[in-house]
């Protein structure tokens, strides 16, 4: 009965292809506790041989919104991946503890996440007080039914705050260019296998996506801000405040010719000279960062 219930939860919660992240304030508080914890899990996931899972992930993108691969969007491929990984983690942990008849632990873990994003939730429903009362007064079946109901409520609350959760994790991961390289390499392995005849709308030829020549203002500003206005290969200051004539370019970390995608996570700042030297067969980004002092 418990397993069937969890299966229904998983089926009812659909990963939304395009969370309403635009409704979030641009200047917002970041929940770093959750962001760093989930970022570590996601980094580990791409270091495992997930070819079958990754292929399914890319095919889902093609099925739901294939143009996301050839047109820059504020809701990036990484946003979608983060959301899927959050739900995968929650579903796995909840299912595990419920099968082991440790529903209190399952509820506590979900509650702790809700509490991070809605500290006043306990005023709406004191879940632990309900569990204690039910455990003392009623049968085991009634207690398990209550556990299921509470889990359902917590899942709905998590779904409500999912845009915030995804954006917090994205904030951490988007600044890690080394991770972005690994993430895009993972995707490129699948993109490289797609045939033009199967997806002519998005493919320029076998294994190569069409190029998006339009770089929106928000994308340019975001990449420039993340890369601190410096070329990611030679470290030249491109802000124009120190030197003149410093032209810069927006470069695909994993070139389109090698299965790269048109996504903000695959773009970096290079000076004009380095961009010309870097061929469409070279994969490169920098993992160097300036110290605060």
């Amino acid at each position: 009965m418990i397993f069937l219930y969890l299966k229904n939860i998983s089926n009812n919660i659909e990963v939304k292809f395009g969370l309403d992240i635009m409704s979030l304030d641009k200047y917002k508080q970041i929940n770093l506790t959750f962001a760093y914890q989930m970022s570590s899990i996601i980094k580990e996931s791409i270091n495992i041989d997930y070819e079958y899972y990754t292929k399914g992930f890319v095919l889902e993108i093609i099925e739901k919104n294939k143009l996301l691969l050839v047109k820059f969007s504020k809701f990036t491929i990484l946003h979608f991946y983060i959301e899927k990984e959050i739900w995968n983690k929650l579903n796995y942990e909840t299912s595990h503890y419920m099968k082991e008849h440790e529903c209190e632990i399952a509820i506590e873990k979900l509650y702790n996440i809700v509490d991070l994003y809605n500290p006043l939730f306990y005023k709406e429903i004191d879940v632990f007080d309900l569990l204690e009362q039910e455990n003392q007064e009623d049968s085991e079946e009634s207690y398990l039914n209550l556990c299921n109901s509470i889990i359902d409520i917590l899942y709905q609350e998590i779904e409500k705050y999912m845009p915030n959760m995804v954006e917090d994790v994205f904030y951490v991961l988007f600044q890690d260019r080394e991770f972005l390289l690994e993430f895009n390499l993972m995707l490129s392995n699948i993109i490289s296998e797609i045939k033009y005849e199967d997806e002519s709308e998005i493919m320029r030829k076998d294994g190569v996506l069409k190029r998006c020549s339009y770089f929106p203002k928000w994308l340019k500003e975001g990449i420039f801000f993340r890369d601190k206005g410096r070329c990611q290969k030679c470290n030249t200051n491109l802000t124009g405040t120190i030197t003149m004539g410093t032209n810069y370019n927006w470069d695909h970390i994993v070139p389109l010719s090698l299965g790269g995608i048109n996504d903000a996570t695959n773009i970096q700042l290079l000076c004009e000279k380095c961009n010309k030297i870097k061929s469409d067969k070279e994969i490169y980004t920098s993992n160097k960062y300036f110290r605060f002092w």
Side-chain angles (χ1 to χ4, degrees), residues 9-219:
I9 283 182
S10 180
N11 288 340
N12 289 336
I13 294 180
E14 178 185 359
V15 177
K16 297 177 177 61
F17 207 91
L19 285 174
D20 188 17
I21 59 171
M22 294 304 99
S23 65
L24 302 177
D25 292 336
K26 192 168 184 178
Y27 185 66
K28 66 182 290 292
Q29 181 175 334
I30 301 294
N31 195 311
L32 291 176
T33 301
F34 178 81
Y36 280 116
Q37 178 191 43
M38 199 65 217
S39 294
S40 297
I41 293 172
I42 291 174
K43 286 181 180 180
E44 290 177 10
S45 76
I46 67 169
N47 290 324
I48 302 173
D49 184 11
Y50 267 28
E51 183 176 350
Y52 175 78
Y53 175 77
T54 307
K55 188 171 185 178
F57 171 70
V58 173
L59 291 177
E60 187 175 359
I61 293 172
I62 292 174
E63 177 187 351
K64 292 186 174 182
N65 190 352
K66 63 181 68 176
L67 294 180
L68 204 61
L69 294 168
V70 293
K71 183 179 179 181
F72 294 110
S73 169
K74 291 184 178 181
F75 182 82
T76 69
I77 304 296
L78 181 55
H79 282 93
F80 185 39
Y81 189 81
I82 291 169
E83 187 188 3
K84 287 184 71 69
E85 285 298 303
I86 291 175
W87 284 125
N88 285 341
K89 175 182 181 293
L90 296 181
N91 286 335
Y92 174 80
E93 287 186 347
T94 305
S95 177
H96 169 74
Y97 287 116
M98 293 296 279
K99 286 177 185 177
E100 296 296 321
H101 299 283
E102 296 178 329
C103 57
E104 295 91 348
I105 298 179
I107 289 172
E108 182 178 6
K109 285 186 170 293
L110 293 173
Y111 180 86
N112 288 340
I113 294 174
V114 170
D115 187 57
L116 287 174
Y117 287 89
N118 183 8
L120 299 178
F121 179 74
Y122 74 95
K123 292 186 176 181
E124 300 174 27
I125 173 173
D126 191 333
V127 295
F128 301 109
D129 184 53
L130 284 174
L131 287 174
E132 185 177 355
Q133 292 181 25
E134 190 76 17
N135 198 21
Q136 293 175 354
E137 299 173 5
D138 296 311
S139 65
E140 181 180 358
E141 181 179 0
S142 177
Y143 181 71
L144 290 176
N145 286 336
L146 176 62
C147 287
N148 284 333
S149 297
I150 291 174
I151 288 174
D152 193 21
I153 292 171
L154 292 172
Y155 260 71
Q156 290 174 27
E157 193 70 12
I158 289 172
E159 187 176 19
K160 185 193 306 181
Y161 288 95
M162 186 56 67
N164 299 74
M165 297 164 71
V166 170
E167 191 64 16
D168 287 355
V169 180
F170 179 83
Y171 177 82
V172 172
L173 292 177
F174 187 65
Q175 298 182 76
D176 187 341
R177 286 184 299 271
E178 192 170 20
F179 163 78
L180 296 180
L181 172 60
E182 294 299 322
F183 178 71
N184 279 282
L185 280 174
M186 177 184 74
L187 298 178
S188 69
N189 290 332
I190 308 301
I191 298 295
S192 298
E193 298 176 356
I194 300 176
K195 302 296 183 183
Y196 171 81
E197 61 184 50
D198 296 330
E199 295 294 343
S200 59
E201 187 179 359
I202 60 173
M203 307 301 292
R204 183 168 68 84
K205 61 182 182 179
D206 289 354
V208 179
L209 288 165
K210 292 180 178 178
R211 179 179 295 273
C212 178
S213 58
Y214 174 65
F215 285 69
K217 182 181 178 182
W218 59 263
L219 174 63

